Amino acid sequence: MANRVAQRPARPGAAQFNPLGVLPRRQLTGVLPGLVVIAVAVVLTGVNMQTHFTDAIVGIWGVSVLIAGALIASGIRAFQRQGRLDPGIEAVLPSLGAQRPARELVRAVKWSRGWVGVPRRVVIRYAAHVDDRDARFVDQIVASFSRRVGEEYRVLKHVPRKCALTLELAPPVAPVSRAQTRAEQVVKMLLGETASVDVTLDDAGAEVRRMKVRHDMGPRLAIPARRMQIEKVVSSMLPGRWRARWDLEGDEVVFEIRPPMPDMVLHVPNPSTNELTHAEYKAFKIPIGPDEDTAEQSWQPSVSPHCLTIGGTGSGKTSFQHTVLTHLAQARWRVWVLDGKRIEFAGFKSWPNVELVAAQVEHQVRMLHAAHELMEQRYTQLERGTARLEDFEPLALIIDEYATFKARVQRWYKTVKPKGGPTQAPVLELLSDLARLARSAKIHMLLGIQRPDVEFLGGEMRDNFGARLSLGRLSPQGAMMMWDSPAIGVAIPRNRRGRGVTLNADSLPVEVQTYYTPDPAKLDKTDTAEWEHLQSLMPLEVTHPRKMILEPTPLISGDEELPPTYDDWSRARIVAWVPGEDEPEEPMVTAVAPPALPSNVVALGVRRRPIPADVRFTPSEDPDVDADDDDAEDVGRYMESTEGTAADLVVGDQLLTDVTLDVWAVVESVEPDIVDDDCYAIEIRDLDSGEEGMLTVSDNELLTYRRPEEVEDAS
């Protein structure tokens, strides 16, 4: 077909193809027709004057001038428009395969913007022998025409069968902000210049909130450490805290700004009047708090039977335990509490559905024996087939400050050890049994401790706590025992009570802000708002009233009264609660109980009995009491500072980032820099503020750091 077109003789005025020529000289059209109109007017006037002068002469001249002016103006505008279009025609002619230059190859069918304006729509014809299958063919024509005309154009329609290409004026592009330009530069530096970046700005159009990136670095990004490093670099070089969602199969990644975490979140009431069925028990979740992605994290006892909570004084650990207690009570669970410090749960002794709050060491021992007896009883029923698991009601056992409890029990046991008894208090072994076996009896534990040392929690027992929460700043040793990493949770900001780390649904540690529940015993009576909030957390019905532990009857040997032994206390009676002289008749926060309770429902409580003076626990001996100087405590758990290169650093080291101000940060990752092969990228978290950061240092630069002390083997 191309040969037949080349051999066909050219028609007059038809487009001739010659890429080496130039356009013919433009002609000013419209002037000659205008002059002809004026000449006709003169002739008509002369004829009219030879006969007689009439008023028609004025009309003839007026119409003639208007027609002539219009023709001349139209010609001038066409002349100027052609001058505007000619540079674009000359720019695309080499790509059209033309034998001769001709304006018929590029025609502007629509114009816009004023008297002369700019071509709004352009139709371009090219020779049939041109290979238009190459994607660069169309792109080159658009780029050349846009560059020479001075406007941006885009393809409206391309019909290869007709060898025709239609371009239209592209809509105006909003000016690119400096923030968007920097964001695109950072992404291209990390993911290559070929990466395409789709940026989403905030409502004001000033800040970047989201970036969708397509890249061709899939194999390199398959390594998790490199992806993490890129996320850290983005958060360091762009304002705000960023997160990344990687699509490794589609070679895409979406960067988004993380929403800020609140400093305090109130526990949301969830009252229930429904009977606690087995199906509700299986689906029951205890809310922990929103994580850094604003998703609510929770503990599901039917999946993870026991929860381990660690945190120092003032970290919010006790407030979280209060949240668990009130949430369980509203769901009509049976709740038993072991108050390790004796005063942290004093305000909940009369809380509905809290059967027992044991503050004395004797009562605490009896409570754990009772829980173990209940577990054994339920196992016997399951074994004999007299009951099924769904027949049992769940029991929650909250143990606060376990290290304090263990130390007190060991000293108290020496004073009440029966003759021929074991050297260690049996209750400690029972607690290990509960951690291993209680799940199948619908008994669940929430255990709180300041640090999960092997001295208090053996490796096997700690592994039975699938749900975990650490609050406040951890030492490297505590982080290693809790999260198997000396860097997780060691730089939580000091002024963020309730801030910590927990496991999400994928069993990955995430930062979380736990829900806050006020303590009735410590609440200011004038704080109406918190009292009203606490009242909203009350259960609607009292299903499990209080009980109390009776002191064993002393044995009489002749004229001598023998004090109760450990065995006596482990079998002490648990009966319906009767108010004592040192306890209020009415609870601090009241709830309306049903008119009549089932016959098998009893109340729980504790009758106080002083601890003997020789086994009383002083604050200075409390293994869970923090040191006054937190900074000195943290430093004391690290070795002496030393110098080395970035290659010597490991996760969990403390790095000196400012020699003058003596500022230290925790090392969270050390990787070769993805931009400069002679440098290392070090991810850090500031010890004082908890803010994340990134350092890029040369591979031979000397750094000052200190390493955590060796962690005792948990096995």
Side-chain angles (χ1 to χ4, degrees):
M1 179 178 177
N3 294 334
R4 291 199 298 271
V5 173
Q7 294 172 2
R8 184 180 302 167
R11 299 191 305 272
Q16 303 295 321
F17 293 91
N18 183 5
L20 300 179
V22 296
L23 289 173
R25 179 176 299 178
R26 289 180 292 137
Q27 296 180 358
L28 184 59
T29 60
V31 177
L32 183 59
L35 296 177
V36 171
V37 171
I38 294 177
V40 172
V42 171
V43 172
L44 293 176
T45 302
V47 172
N48 187 279
M49 291 182 65
Q50 289 178 1
T51 57
H52 57 277
F53 184 82
T54 65
D55 295 336
I57 296 176
V58 178
I60 293 173
W61 274 100
V63 173
S64 301
V65 170
L66 290 176
I67 295 174
L71 291 173
I72 293 173
S74 176
I76 293 174
R77 185 175 67 171
F79 182 82
Q80 292 176 340
R81 283 184 170 179
Q82 195 64 53
R84 183 70 186 270
L85 185 61
D86 280 352
I89 299 175
E90 293 178 351
V92 300
L93 279 176
S95 301
L96 304 181
Q99 295 179 354
R100 291 183 181 179
R103 294 188 176 90
E104 289 79 0
L105 299 176
V106 181
R107 293 184 301 106
V109 296
K110 287 186 179 181
W111 292 75
S112 62
R113 301 182 190 174
W115 169 255
V116 177
V118 295
R120 181 180 175 185
R121 186 172 297 173
V122 179
V123 177
I124 301 175
R125 302 294 299 272
Y126 55 89
H129 62 80
V130 174
D131 185 7
D132 55 6
R133 294 172 299 179
D134 189 353
R136 294 174 297 178
F137 168 71
V138 175
D139 294 340
Q140 184 177 358
I141 291 178
V142 175
S144 300
F145 188 82
S146 300
R147 182 178 65 255
R148 300 307 300 164
V149 175
E151 301 287 344
E152 288 296 327
Y153 286 85
R154 63 184 181 184
V155 177
L156 177 63
K157 183 170 58 175
H158 182 203
V159 185
R161 181 176 59 83
K162 296 182 179 180
C163 300
L165 179 67
T166 303
L167 307 183
E168 68 173 356
L169 194 64
V173 180
V176 179
S177 64
R178 183 177 180 276
Q180 179 176 347
T181 302
R182 175 167 176 78
E184 292 176 353
Q185 290 175 345
V186 170
V187 170
K188 289 182 178 294
M189 178 182 66
L190 296 173
L191 298 176
E193 291 295 331
T194 59
S196 62
V197 187
D198 183 10
V199 175
T200 302
L201 303 175
D202 57 8
D203 295 336
E207 298 294 336
V208 178
R209 308 296 300 177
R210 185 176 184 271
M211 297 182 296
K212 183 177 181 180
V213 184
R214 290 192 60 87
H215 58 84
D216 54 2
M217 298 179 62
R220 293 188 61 189
L221 298 178
I223 303 176
R226 289 182 176 175
R227 298 198 301 271
M228 184 181 298
Q229 185 179 2
I230 290 176
E231 294 177 29
K232 296 294 185 181
V233 172
V234 170
S235 294
S236 301
M237 300 186 68
L238 298 179
R241 299 178 62 205
W242 291 80
R243 64 182 177 185
R245 304 183 184 276
W246 298 91
D247 180 8
L248 298 180
E249 294 182 357
D251 289 338
E252 286 187 355
V253 57
V254 176
F255 296 98
E256 296 176 330
I257 287 285
R258 295 181 185 272
M261 294 187 67
D263 292 336
M264 186 184 72
V265 185
L266 289 177
H267 177 205
V268 180
N270 187 28
S272 174
T273 57
N274 298 327
E275 183 181 357
L276 185 59
T277 63
H278 184 69
E280 290 184 350
Y281 157 78
K282 295 287 288 184
F284 182 73
K285 295 182 180 180
I286 302 171
I288 297 176
D291 65 10
E292 56 186 349
D293 297 328
T294 69
E296 183 181 78
Q297 298 299 325
S298 60
W299 166 34
Q300 187 171 358
S302 62
V303 176
S304 299
H306 310 306
C307 179
L308 175 63
T309 304
I310 70 171
T313 301
S315 64
K317 174 167 54 69
T318 302
S319 178
F320 168 71
Q321 292 172 327
H322 293 167
T323 297
V324 174
L325 181 149
T326 55
H327 195 80
L328 290 168
Q330 275 199 325
R332 304 172 71 176
W333 279 50
R334 297 176 64 187
V335 181
W336 294 1
V337 180
L338 190 156
D339 191 353
K341 286 188 176 180
R342 304 177 57 186
I343 60 172
E344 297 296 345
F345 289 85
F348 291 96
K349 288 184 177 181
S350 57
W351 196 266
N353 294 331
V354 176
E355 287 189 335
L356 177 61
V357 176
Q360 304 291 336
V361 63
E362 302 95 329
H363 302 150
Q364 294 168 354
V365 169
R366 177 63 184 110
M367 186 187 73
L368 293 180
H369 272 273
H372 192 270
E373 291 167 3
L374 179 62
M375 180 188 73
E376 293 292 344
Q377 177 186 352
R378 291 182 173 182
Y379 266 95
T380 301
Q381 292 176 307
L382 293 173
E383 181 183 9
R384 294 177 178 177
T386 58
R388 302 176 61 185
L389 184 62
E390 50 264 35
D391 297 331
F392 302 139
E393 57 182 358
L395 169 66
L397 189 60
I398 300 177
I399 302 175
D400 184 37
E401 303 296 356
Y402 171 70
T404 302
F405 162 72
K406 183 176 181 180
R408 285 175 174 167
V409 165
Q410 289 173 338
R411 284 193 299 275
W412 172 76
Y413 182 69
K414 295 177 182 178
T415 66
V416 295
K417 176 185 175 182
K419 185 176 181 180
T423 57
Q424 186 175 352
V427 68
L428 301 178
E429 287 296 328
L430 299 184
L431 190 60
S432 299
D433 284 347
L434 287 170
R436 287 190 295 265
L437 306 173
R439 172 184 182 178
S440 298
K442 272 192 181 180
I443 300 176
H444 305 277
M445 289 193 297
L446 169 64
L447 190 145
I449 192 171
Q450 292 203 7
R451 207 177 79 159
D453 292 328
V454 178
E455 175 186 357
F456 306 111
L457 289 177
E460 179 192 359
M461 183 174 178
R462 187 167 60 237
D463 290 342
N464 288 320
F465 290 84
R468 297 189 177 189
L469 171 67
S470 66
L471 291 166
R473 177 172 299 189
L474 301 180
S475 66
Q477 294 81 2
M480 190 66 190
M481 289 181 286
M482 190 73 172
W483 307 115
D484 294 328
S485 170
I488 298 178
V490 299
I492 294 293
R494 296 184 187 276
N495 58 346
R496 300 291 189 272
R497 185 172 184 176
R499 184 72 57 81
V501 179
T502 189
L503 296 175
N504 62 11
D506 298 325
S507 298
L508 298 175
V510 294
E511 192 171 330
V512 67
Q513 179 68 36
T514 58
Y515 289 117
Y516 168 72
T517 299
D519 184 352
K522 301 178 182 179
L523 197 58
D524 186 356
K525 295 183 179 180
T526 62
D527 194 341
T528 307
E530 290 213 354
W531 275 110
E532 291 178 352
H533 176 66
L534 195 62
Q535 185 73 34
S536 69
L537 298 175
M538 296 286 292
L540 298 179
E541 294 183 0
V542 181
T543 309
H544 308 289
R546 296 175 63 182
K547 290 183 179 179
M548 66 180 185
I549 300 173
L550 295 180
E551 181 176 352
T553 303
L555 297 177
I556 305 297
S557 177
D559 296 335
E560 182 181 3
E561 181 178 311
L562 301 178
T565 65
Y566 178 90
D567 292 338
D568 297 330
W569 275 110
S570 65
R571 295 189 296 266
R573 294 176 59 200
I574 301 178
V575 298
W577 174 72
V578 178
E581 295 180 359
D582 56 348
E583 290 186 331
E585 294 288 341
E586 298 294 334
M588 299 180 63
V589 182
T590 60
V592 179
L597 296 175
S599 58
N600 61 340
V601 175
V602 292
L604 262 178
V606 176
R607 177 176 292 173
R608 289 193 175 94
R609 179 177 183 273
I611 297 180
D614 55 345
V615 296
R616 204 168 279 176
F617 206 79
T618 60
S620 60
E621 298 171 335
D622 193 335
D624 274 350
V625 174
D626 288 344
D628 293 335
D629 190 351
D630 291 337
D631 290 332
E633 183 183 18
D634 290 339
V635 173
R637 292 171 177 166
Y638 286 83
M639 300 179 183
E640 293 292 332
S641 59
T642 184
E643 290 187 346
T645 62
D648 299 325
L649 297 177
V650 296
V651 175
D653 287 350
Q654 282 191 358
L655 178 65
L656 182 62
T657 58
D658 192 318
V659 179
T660 305
L661 301 178
D662 193 32
V663 177
W664 294 80
V666 178
V667 177
E668 294 192 334
S669 175
V670 182
E671 297 289 341
D673 189 74
I674 62 176
V675 178
D676 191 345
D677 294 337
D678 296 331
C679 294
Y680 277 84
I682 307 174
E683 302 167 20
I684 60 173
R685 185 184 288 266
D686 188 85
L687 277 177
D688 293 327
S689 65
E691 295 294 329
E692 299 176 348
M694 172 75 71
L695 293 178
T696 302
V697 299
S698 174
D699 56 4
N700 56 5
E701 180 179 347
L702 285 180
L703 305 173
T704 301
Y705 66 94
R706 53 195 181 203
R707 184 149 295 165
E709 296 176 355
E710 293 296 330
V711 181
E712 185 177 355
D713 187 7
S715 61

